[in-house]
């Protein structure tokens, strides 16, 4: 049993490259055999350097060195076969092959070290990103929630878009926002607003007073991310604040320059545009009375979709924007999870898999009866 386990472990370590390594080995054998068959004035031995060079493209330094040793051995065997091993020409070929193999192994080792360092950096970045943008709970009171984040930057899981939710005594408060710009440079600004919301979300009686507190936090600390004074006016965060009561159908929202949500009600899609939206956070320094509060009915069975402009501004190859509201009409009966699955596939197909900006979507469905307990996302 122990021997079988050891064999299985060796097989698992060998498996990723055991098929590809047959190509350089076969190449060494073919070059050696053909060199025996061609006329004596034709020398194919120098081509053996291709074998370790090819191995380095898919394997590590140890396997590359092993293939290099095989190539050097084949070159020596060719010299022995023709009785010219100690000739100057063959010795130069062997030494040259050994030097080139050493260089290939060296650069392969440098590449592997950098790859490991990059993997560590990505692991730390992913952990930090996940800690910043924690997944929303699937249930908060009477709400069933699903969320989706698509980062524009390669290898990133989040960027400048943000969302979170907090259970309160009367229901749930949520925020979705969009930092100007995208990618890792916007993560710090996103963390600023998320942290402020999580601290004060349940400490203010109304959404306007909550918006004032968030605006002050953003205005006070957003300058820390500004490199020059000329950029101060260019740093702001659009946001949509939402308050969904546990009991009752009337839901309130305060829009701060953010795209309006969509309401799926009785197989129809309605855009909840605010008549007088406030400016983005960090821009105007408004008083509470200057922030609007819009109300709408959010009944049992309805689905509310919050999103950022990375969704609606996604373009196809002809430059046409993604028709979000029209596409959602196809899936009005879907659960939040299934709905976001449909949107994700359709959106990426529309823009050929490349978003020009981060995109975040949150789907919220009200159940027929409230569920006990709250959560903080």
């Amino acid at each position: 049993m122990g021997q079988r386990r050891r064999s299985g472990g060796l097989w698992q370590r060998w498996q990723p490259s055991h098929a590809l390594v047959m190509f350089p080995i076969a190449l060494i054998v073919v070059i050696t055999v053909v060199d025996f068959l061609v006329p004596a004035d034709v020398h194919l031995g120098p081509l053996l350097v291709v074998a370790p060079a090819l191995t380095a493209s898919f394997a590590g330094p140890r396997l590359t060195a092993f293939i290099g040793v095989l190539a050097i051995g084949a070159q020596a065997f060719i010299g022995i076969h023709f009785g010219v091993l100690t000739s100057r020409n063959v010795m130069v070929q062997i030494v040259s092959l050994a030097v080139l193999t050493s260089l290939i192994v060296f650069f392969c080792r440098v590449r592997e070290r950098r790859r490991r360092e990059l993997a560590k950096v990505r692991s730390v970045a992913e952990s930090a990103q996940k800690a910043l943008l924690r997944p929303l709970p699937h249930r908060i009171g009477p709400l069933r929630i699903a969320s989706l984040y698509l980062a524009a930057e390669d290898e990133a899981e989040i960027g400048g878009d943000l969302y979170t939710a907090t259970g309160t005594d009367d229901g749930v408060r949520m925020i979705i926002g969009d930092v100007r710009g995208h990618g890792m440079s916007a993560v710090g600004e996103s963390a600023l607003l998320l942290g402020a919301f999580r601290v004060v979300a349940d400490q203010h009686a109304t959404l306007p007073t909550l918006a004032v507190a968030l605006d002050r936090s953003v205005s006070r600390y957003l300058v820390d991310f500004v490199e020059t004074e000329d950029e101060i006016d260019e740093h702001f965060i659009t946001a949509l604040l939402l308050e969904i009561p546990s009991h009752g159908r009337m839901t309130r929202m305060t829009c701060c320059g953010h795209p309006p949500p969509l309401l799926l009600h009785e197989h129809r899609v309605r855009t909840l545009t605010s008549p007088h939206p406030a400016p983005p956070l960090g821009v105007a320094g408004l008083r509470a009375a200057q922030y609007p509060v819009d109300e709408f009915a959010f009944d049992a069975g309805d689905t509310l979709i919050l999103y950022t402009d990375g969704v609606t501004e996604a373009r196809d190859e002809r430059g046409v924007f993604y028709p979000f509201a029209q596409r959602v009409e196809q899936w009005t009966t879907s659960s939040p999870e299934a709905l976001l699955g449909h949107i994700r596939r359709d959106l990426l197909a529309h823009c050929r898999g490349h978003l020009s900006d981060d995109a975040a979507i949150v789907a919220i469905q009200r159940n027929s009866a409230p569920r006990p307990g709250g959560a903080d996302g």
Side-chain angles (χ1 to χ4, degrees):
M1 179 64 71
Q3 181 65 32
R4 182 178 300 177
R5 289 179 178 177
R6 286 192 294 271
S7 300
L10 292 173
W11 171 253
Q12 291 298 327
R13 290 194 296 271
W14 173 254
Q15 191 173 3
S17 58
H18 75 280
L20 290 176
V21 78
M22 297 307 298
F23 287 100
I25 292 177
L27 184 62
I28 292 173
V29 173
V30 170
I31 291 175
T32 303
V33 172
V34 173
D35 204 310
F36 291 164
L37 300 177
V38 296
D41 60 336
V42 178
H43 304 286
L44 299 181
L47 295 179
L48 290 169
V49 72
V50 176
L54 179 63
T55 306
S57 65
F58 61 84
R62 291 185 179 181
L63 187 56
T64 302
F66 172 73
I67 295 298
V69 170
L70 289 182
I72 295 171
Q75 179 67 71
F77 182 69
I78 292 173
I80 294 173
H81 176 77
F82 289 105
V84 292
L85 177 61
T86 58
S87 67
R88 183 172 60 182
N89 186 38
V90 173
M91 292 303 297
V92 168
Q93 292 181 12
I94 292 176
V95 172
S96 299
L97 182 56
V99 171
L100 290 174
T101 297
S102 299
L103 289 175
I104 293 172
V105 171
F106 171 75
F107 286 112
C108 187
R109 185 179 296 275
V110 171
R111 182 198 64 193
E112 289 298 306
R113 184 173 67 250
R114 291 183 176 179
R115 181 180 296 175
R116 289 193 298 268
E117 292 174 353
L118 181 58
K120 291 180 180 179
V121 171
R122 287 177 178 171
S123 177
V124 172
E126 289 175 3
S127 298
Q129 291 172 354
K130 291 176 181 178
L132 169 64
L133 195 67
R134 299 194 299 268
L136 292 175
H138 298 298
R139 300 267 186 183
I140 305 181
L143 307 179
R144 181 177 179 182
I145 303 174
S147 58
L148 171 67
Y149 199 109
L150 299 173
E153 292 286 342
D154 294 336
E155 308 299 339
E157 293 190 359
I158 70 168
D161 291 0
L162 59 102
Y163 52 76
T164 192
T166 297
T168 65
D169 294 337
D170 301 325
V172 177
R173 281 184 174 176
M174 305 186 68
I175 184 174
I176 185 168
D178 185 1
V179 176
R180 184 183 181 276
H182 62 271
M184 294 304 296
S185 62
V187 171
E189 300 175 36
S190 174
L192 170 64
L193 182 56
L194 281 174
F197 179 85
R198 287 166 178 159
V199 170
V200 302
D202 59 349
Q203 298 178 7
H204 295 272
T206 65
L207 291 182
T209 56
L210 173 59
V212 170
L214 295 176
D215 182 71
R216 288 176 179 172
S217 295
V218 170
S219 300
R220 182 180 305 166
Y221 298 109
L222 206 57
V223 294
D224 295 339
F225 302 94
V226 178
E227 297 181 358
T228 64
E229 292 185 0
D230 296 337
E231 296 181 1
I232 293 178
D233 294 336
E234 299 179 4
H235 283 251
F236 55 83
I237 305 176
T238 68
L240 181 74
L241 303 176
L242 200 66
E243 186 175 74
I244 306 175
S246 297
H247 304 279
R249 58 197 295 262
M250 299 310 296
T251 295
R252 290 171 289 277
M253 74 174 184
T254 292
C255 180
C256 302
H258 198 78
L262 302 180
L263 180 65
L264 280 56
H265 174 72
E266 295 182 349
H267 310 295
R268 295 183 180 180
V269 179
R270 174 187 167 197
T271 302
L272 302 174
T273 304
S274 176
H276 306 287
L281 300 176
V283 174
L286 303 181
R287 299 186 306 274
Q290 296 174 292
Y291 283 98
V293 177
D294 300 296
E295 293 188 338
F296 59 91
F298 186 30
D299 296 315
D302 290 353
T303 300
L304 189 64
I305 303 178
L306 315 179
Y307 59 95
T308 59
D309 59 10
V311 178
T312 53
E313 293 181 359
R315 300 172 183 260
D316 62 11
E317 66 276 6
R318 298 171 297 175
V320 178
F321 289 115
Y322 181 64
F324 188 39
Q326 297 177 18
R327 297 294 180 90
V328 170
E329 290 179 349
Q330 309 172 65
W331 312 302
T332 54
T333 59
S334 300
S335 67
E337 295 81 3
L339 175 62
L340 293 191
H342 292 309
I343 294 173
R344 183 182 188 278
R345 289 187 292 270
D346 193 54
L347 175 62
L348 292 178
H350 178 83
C351 63
R352 302 292 184 180
H354 179 70
L355 291 168
S356 59
D357 196 4
D358 303 321
I361 310 173
V362 179
I364 312 159
Q365 188 176 75
R366 180 184 280 278
N367 294 319
S368 56
R371 298 174 67 92
D376 185 355

